[in-house]
Structure formats: structure tokens, C-alpha cells
């Protein structure tokens, strides 16, 4: 909401209708987010989101994640349509500071378009003054952002993945940029979260040259009376918290174990789930097998670290608010990383599909190590043919909304009677699926592989006609024979 004492400066062109914002555009932001775009991408903000320096901007009551992003704003001076890269900068009239505010609580269902989370009243503060683009080197602009007086962002346009003239030329290929149109050119690393009472300031300048002065925005609490009958309600999960704050540490979240070493992964690929389960039982862990899910296709091994998705029991109003759009289910399948296993809590309810062929293909394309659900799978035969290990309760033709509401991701869940946390080690084969606490995985697999070698030798003796008594398990005599055979095998391998 704009302070009623604010007046629009006479020299600041009012937008003609287009505020175009760039997604990731700085190398520092790309590194922070872990993804570097090959080309620029954009979204639109309504002109009604524009406000000026000194404005009070609302974070609705009950929400948590109002993200601020200091940005360089370009204002079109002369119309640009299909202009070249060399001509593009000549169509910029002015440069100023902007804050591309967004409410991550409303991001889920509009991710990409950002209509609701970034289009709210006052969510595009801009100013306080303009720098003429004439004779300004577009690679020499500096951007700085302060939160409550502390410098939290500092970068230059030289650190952008896509130079400022490229953004103008690219956009002009597709639409006419008209005088007064605004391009928000993206934010560097350091963007974070503001709360009621915080003051965010943004300045753009040429070092030793002209400056916009500090754009000042005061965050206040506003009403949070969202009507669930009209649309989705605000919601957050750990993935949104991490992106809003900039890191898991800044968000107060525990660090996740993002992967397995190559050596540990290789050993887990070799170790059978039955052997791992036996070693976990010896250590007092009796509830680490995920009971019920079976592989859609036999003969495939699954090894990876857990990403989790939680479904709650179906309820019509909750499905209306959380089941549509870019819901939790779609988000995790879009975000799963290489070597990760999506583990789904469906409460053992097999009377509805919890994924189908499209989501399985998306997980495969992302390099996922597999999917485990204690619910059903649609398109079961097609999913079985995809090169992705999937464990489930069996096929079911019904869509998600019959039994489930996709609710949350990357939280501790229950699947098939086992507790699963993000980062847990998941191993599956034809015998089933087991969950290994990361701190125990190396120890357990080493012992399991040693026992597997012993069992293979015992099987050879049984095949040769020896009785089981005293051999399985091995008594002292058979143990001595085994150790002698193993020692001889080791010596033989060293001389080859």
C-alpha cells in the first residue's frame, strides 16, 4: 500500500502497461540457486504493483515469506521492435532502482507466472530518482541493497549472465517495448526475507558517477483474510523457505545430505536389501523396511538419498486449495535431483494413483534414482517400461484427488511403516526397500558385503553336498576353513 503523502515525480514516466521481470540473470544468483539458465526467461507484473520510495508495503497476516530482491530497472525511452543488440541500449531512456517483492507463500500454484505472489499492490517499489541512460556504460552499473541498514546485496551489471542490451533486444523480438515500459533485470545473490518492521533500501549507481539515491520501503502487516472458496491459500514448505531466504542455513533448516560418494554408492549397488536389513536388525533397528511396495519391474536395483512427499487424506476443500495448479506433488517431481529417490507417504492407501507415466518420465529426465510410494500407480504397465525403478502397492486407475491431497515436501514422513527423513539412504531390490540413516550406511554396507561373501562360500559348500549342520551358521571348524579359503583367494589375487 502506498503512503498517501507520496506524489509521482513529474520526470518519472508512468508505465504504459508492461512491467517485464527477468528470472535468474546474475551469475551469483545462479550459483546460489544451483541452476544457470541457457537463455533469459521472463514474467509480467501488473502496473498496479508499482509504488514509490517511502511506501509502506503489506505482508498479509499469517504469511511468512515476503522476499525482497534489489534490481536495476530499465525504463524504455523510445519504442523498440525487432532491434539489434547494437541498437538496443539506445532505446533505454532511464535507469532506476527497484525492489521486486514477492510473497513465497503464494508462489506454489503460480510458479513461473508469479501472478499472485509478485503482483500484489505495492510489490514493485521503484525510484527515488532516475539516471539518464545516455552515455552510461550498461556494464558499469552497481546495485546495492540494505536491510535495516545492513548491506545484504552488492553486485554490478558486469556480473550478469545476460548483458542488459541483450534483454532489450531479446524482448523486442517478441513484442513492442513502448515508452514508459519497465524491465526489472533480475537480482544477484543475497536476496532474502523481510518482516513487518523491516526497512529495505536499494540503490543503483555508477561508481563515482550518478546515483538513483536509496529506494526505501517499509514493511508492515496487512490483512490475511484469504477466502478458500475463491482460490488457493498461502502455504509454505522447506523448499520455499530455502529459496526465499537464500540457503537452508539462513532459513534455519538442517543441512541436507545431498548425495552419496561414488564408493559408497557402488557398495550399496552390490549389497542385497536382505543383507542390509539383517545388519540393521543386529543394531536394534527393526522398523527400517518399507513394507508393502513392490517393484513395477523386477531385476532393477535402486540406490539414492531420500526426497519426501506427504499426502494427507482427501478432503474436498483442502484439495481445492492445495490439489490444483503447481502443487507439492508437481514441485518435487520438477525439483528432484540426480541420484535422489522420491519417497511418498500415501498412508498405505492403494485406492488411488500417487503418480503416473508423466511424472515418472519427469523424474527419469531429472536423473532421479527411483520412486517409492505406499500407494498406487496409474499407467502401471507404462511406468514399468520406463528406465526408472518404481516401488508401489500396485496399479490403480483413479486420479490423485480420489483419496489424497498433496500437502508438503521434504519433511519427515511415514511410508510403509517406516519413518523417512530427507537425506536418508534408500536402497531397493526385488526383496523390497530399506531406509538407512546416513551416519550408519557405510558401516552397515561394509558388514553386509562381508557377510554376503561368507554366504556365497557357504552356498558353494552346500552345493558340493555338505550338510547344513555346523556350516550355516558356521561353527569354529567351518569358520577356520572359510578364513583359510578367503586368505588363499586374497593371496591369489595379489599375485595376478
Amino acid at each position: 500500500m502506498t503512503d498517501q503523502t507520496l506524489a509521482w515525480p513529474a520526470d518519472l514516466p508512468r508505465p504504459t502497461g508492461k512491467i517485464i521481470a527477468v528470472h535468474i540473470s546474475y551469475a551469483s544468483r545462479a550459483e546460489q540457486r544451483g541452476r544457470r539458465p541457457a537463455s533469459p526467461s521472463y514474467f509480467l507484473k501488473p502496473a498496479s504493483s508499482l509504488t514509490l520510495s517511502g511506501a509502506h508495503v503489506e505482508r498479509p497476516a499469517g504469511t511468512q515469506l515476503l522476499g525482497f530482491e534489489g534490481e536495476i530497472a530499465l525504463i524504455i525511452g523510445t519504442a523498440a521492435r525487432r532491434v539489434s543488440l547494437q541498437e538496443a541500449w539506445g532505446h533505454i531512456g532511464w535507469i532506476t532502482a527497484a525492489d521486486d517483492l514477492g510473497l513465497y507463500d503464494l508462489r506454489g500454484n503460480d510458479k513461473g507466472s508469479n501472478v499472485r505472489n509478485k503482483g500484489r499492490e505495492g510489490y514493485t517499489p521503484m525510484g527515488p530518482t532516475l539516471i539518464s541512460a545516455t552515455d552510461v556504460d550498461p556494464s558499469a552499473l552497481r546495485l546495492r541493497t540494505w536491510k535495516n541498514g545492513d548491506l545484504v546485496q552488492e553486485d554490478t551489471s558486469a556480473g550478469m549472465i545476460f548483458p542488459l542490451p541483450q534483454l532489450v533486444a531479446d524482448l523486442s523480438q517478441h513484442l513492442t517495448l513502448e515508452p514508459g515500459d519497465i524491465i526489472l533485470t533480475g537480482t544477484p545473490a543475497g536476496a532474502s526475507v523481510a518482516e513487518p518492521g523491516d526497512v529495505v533500501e536499494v540503490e543503483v549507481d555508477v561508481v563515482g558517477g550518478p546515483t538513483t539515491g536509496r529506494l526505501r520501503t517499509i514493511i508492515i502487516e496487512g490483512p490475511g483474510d484469504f477466502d478458500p472458496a475463491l482460490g488457493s491459500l498461502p502455504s509454505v514448505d522447506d523448499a520455499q523457505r530455502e529459496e526465499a531466504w537464500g540457503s537452508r542455513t539462513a532459513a534455519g533448516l538442517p543441512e541436507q545430505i545431498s548425495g552419496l560418494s561414488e564408493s559408497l554408492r557402488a557398495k550399496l549397488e552390490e549389497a542385497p536389501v536382505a543383507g542390509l536389513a539383517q545388519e540393521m536388525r543386529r543394531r536394534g533397528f527393526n522398523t527400517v523396511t518399507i513394507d508393502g511396495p513392490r517393484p513395477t519391474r523386477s531385476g532393477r536395483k535402486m540406490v539414492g538419498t531420500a526426497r519426501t512427499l506427504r499426502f494427507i487424506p482427501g478432503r474436498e476443500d483442502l484439495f481445492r486449495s492445495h490439489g490444483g495448479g503447481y502443487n507439492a506433488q508437481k514441485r518435487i517431481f520438477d525439483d528432484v535431483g540426480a541420484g535422489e529417490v522420491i519417497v511418498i507417504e500415501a498412508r498405505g492407501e492403494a485406492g488411488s494413483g500417487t503418480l503416473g507415466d508423466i511424472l515418472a518420465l519427469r523424474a527419469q529426465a531429472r536423473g532421479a534414482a527411483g520412486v517409492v510410494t505406499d500407494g498406487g500407480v496409474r499407467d502401471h504397465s507404462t511406468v514399468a517400461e520406463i528406465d526408472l525403478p518404481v516401488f508401489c502397492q500396485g496399479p490403480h486407475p483413479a486420479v490423485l484427488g480420489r483419496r489424497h491431497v498433496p500437502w508438503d515436501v521434504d519433511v519427515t514422513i511415514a511410508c510403509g511403516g517406516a519413518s523417512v527423513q530427507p537425506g536418508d539412504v534408500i536402497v531397493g531390490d526385488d526383496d523390497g526397500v530399506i531406509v538407512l540413516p546416513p551416519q550408519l550406511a557405510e558401516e552397515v554396507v561394509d558388514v553386509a558385503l562381508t557377510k554376503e561373501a561368507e554366504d556365497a562360500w557357504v552356498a558353494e559348500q552346500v552345493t558340493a553336498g555338505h550338510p547344513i549342520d555346523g556350516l550355516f551358521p558356521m561353527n569354529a571348524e567351518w569358520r577356520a576353513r572359510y578364513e583359510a579359503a578367503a586368505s588363499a583367494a586374497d593371496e591369489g589375487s595379489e599375485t595376478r
Side-chain angles (χ1 to χ4, degrees):
M1 182 177 69
T2 304
D3 190 311
Q4 296 301 310
T5 64
L6 293 175
W8 195 268
D11 64 342
L12 185 63
R14 284 187 174 275
T16 60
K18 295 195 289 295
I19 303 175
I20 304 169
V22 183
H23 285 115
I24 295 176
S25 61
Y26 282 83
S28 61
R29 179 73 157 179
E31 182 178 354
Q32 185 182 47
R33 286 286 174 91
R35 55 183 187 272
R36 185 184 178 99
S39 56
S41 61
Y42 313 94
F43 60 94
L44 292 170
K45 298 189 75 170
S48 59
S49 70
L50 202 61
T51 192
L52 299 172
S53 186
H56 292 77
V57 175
E58 296 176 347
R59 190 192 77 174
T63 62
Q64 304 174 31
L65 302 177
L66 176 59
F68 65 83
E69 300 178 359
E71 306 202 7
I72 298 169
L74 307 180
I75 304 175
I76 300 296
T78 59
R81 177 64 172 150
R82 296 193 180 96
V83 300
S84 69
L85 186 62
Q86 293 71 30
E87 299 169 325
W89 190 248
H91 291 268
I92 299 302
W94 305 271
I95 302 155
T96 194
D99 190 349
D100 182 15
L101 294 166
L103 190 65
Y104 279 71
D105 307 62
L106 293 174
R107 188 176 184 225
N109 285 344
D110 287 336
K111 188 175 182 182
S113 73
N114 292 315
V115 171
R116 286 175 285 191
N117 77 306
K118 286 182 174 283
R120 298 176 63 81
E121 297 295 311
Y123 274 34
T124 312
M126 198 172 75
T129 61
L130 306 180
I131 299 173
S132 173
T134 305
D135 299 327
V136 170
D137 180 351
S139 67
L141 293 166
R142 178 174 63 173
L143 169 69
R144 289 179 293 173
T145 305
W146 295 263
K147 177 182 173 182
N148 299 327
D150 295 328
L151 183 65
V152 292
Q153 288 186 286
E154 183 171 11
D155 211 328
T156 70
S157 51
M160 299 182 76
I161 302 168
F162 314 110
L164 294 174
Q166 179 182 344
L167 302 176
V168 179
D170 181 31
L171 285 167
S172 78
Q173 296 185 98
H174 306 286
L175 48 89
T176 299
L177 297 171
E178 300 169 313
D181 283 353
I182 297 167
I183 303 174
L184 304 180
T185 59
T187 196
S192 189
V193 171
E195 300 177 340
D198 287 342
V199 176
V200 180
E201 298 172 291
V202 184
E203 181 180 8
V204 174
D205 67 351
V206 176
V207 178
T211 177
T212 63
R214 291 197 187 185
L215 167 68
R216 190 168 186 266
T217 304
I218 303 98
I219 308 303
I220 63 173
E221 183 171 297
D225 49 349
F226 299 98
D227 186 347
L230 299 179
S232 59
L233 297 176
S235 64
V236 297
D237 54 37
D238 284 354
Q240 301 286 20
R241 293 184 183 96
E242 180 179 354
E243 291 214 344
W245 283 96
S247 70
R248 293 186 65 83
T249 301
L253 301 170
E255 287 300 316
Q256 286 182 295
I257 297 175
S258 59
L260 303 170
S261 68
E262 290 186 13
S263 61
L264 177 55
R265 184 179 294 275
K267 288 189 285 189
L268 290 167
E269 290 277 0
E270 186 180 349
V273 167
L276 296 171
Q278 181 178 5
E279 293 310 315
M280 288 298 288
R281 284 196 301 274
R282 287 178 177 173
R283 288 161 177 76
F285 289 83
N286 295 304
T287 56
V288 289
T289 55
I290 297 180
D291 298 335
R294 306 297 306 157
T296 56
R297 191 172 82 195
S298 63
R300 288 189 289 189
K301 189 69 178 283
M302 176 181 68
V303 174
T305 52
R307 295 288 303 279
T308 60
L309 169 62
R310 182 166 69 100
F311 292 146
I312 65 171
R315 204 176 87 182
E316 287 73 10
D317 60 328
L318 296 179
F319 193 85
R320 283 194 296 270
S321 63
H322 287 76
Y326 199 61
N327 60 34
Q329 179 199 45
K330 293 176 182 176
R331 292 200 303 273
I332 197 167
F333 275 87
D334 252 356
D335 188 57
V336 65
E340 295 178 333
V341 177
I342 297 174
V343 185
I344 302 173
E345 175 185 336
R347 309 172 314 284
E349 172 55 72
S352 180
T354 55
L355 72 145
D357 57 346
I358 299 300
L359 292 180
L361 284 168
R362 180 59 177 155
Q364 178 200 31
R366 295 281 300 173
V371 179
V372 182
T373 173
D374 60 356
V377 165
R378 296 182 70 213
D379 315 304
H380 189 275
S381 60
T382 304
V383 169
E385 294 172 0
I386 296 171
D387 188 19
L388 176 78
V390 175
F391 291 74
C392 68
Q393 293 271 36
H396 200 284
V399 295
L400 184 69
R402 181 170 185 258
R403 302 287 190 191
H404 306 294
V405 179
W407 197 255
D408 208 353
V409 301
D410 292 328
V411 294
T412 300
I413 63 169
C415 182
S419 296
V420 183
Q421 294 193 299
D424 280 347
V425 178
I426 307 297
V427 185
D429 61 20
D430 286 351
D431 278 343
V433 181
I434 191 168
V435 182
L436 303 177
Q439 68 273 16
L440 291 179
E442 190 102 41
E443 171 192 334
V444 168
V445 73
D446 285 343
V447 177
L449 287 175
T450 298
K451 185 65 168 61
E452 188 69 10
E454 292 181 6
D455 288 350
W457 185 81
V458 168
E460 291 177 3
Q461 310 314 306
V462 173
T463 302
H466 293 286
I468 291 175
D469 186 32
L471 174 61
F472 185 69
M474 287 186 280
N475 58 21
E477 178 185 351
W478 277 109
R479 172 65 63 183
R481 292 187 190 183
Y482 168 72
E483 290 176 353
S487 179
D490 288 341
E491 290 176 4
S493 64
E494 291 175 1
T495 59
R496 285 197 294 269

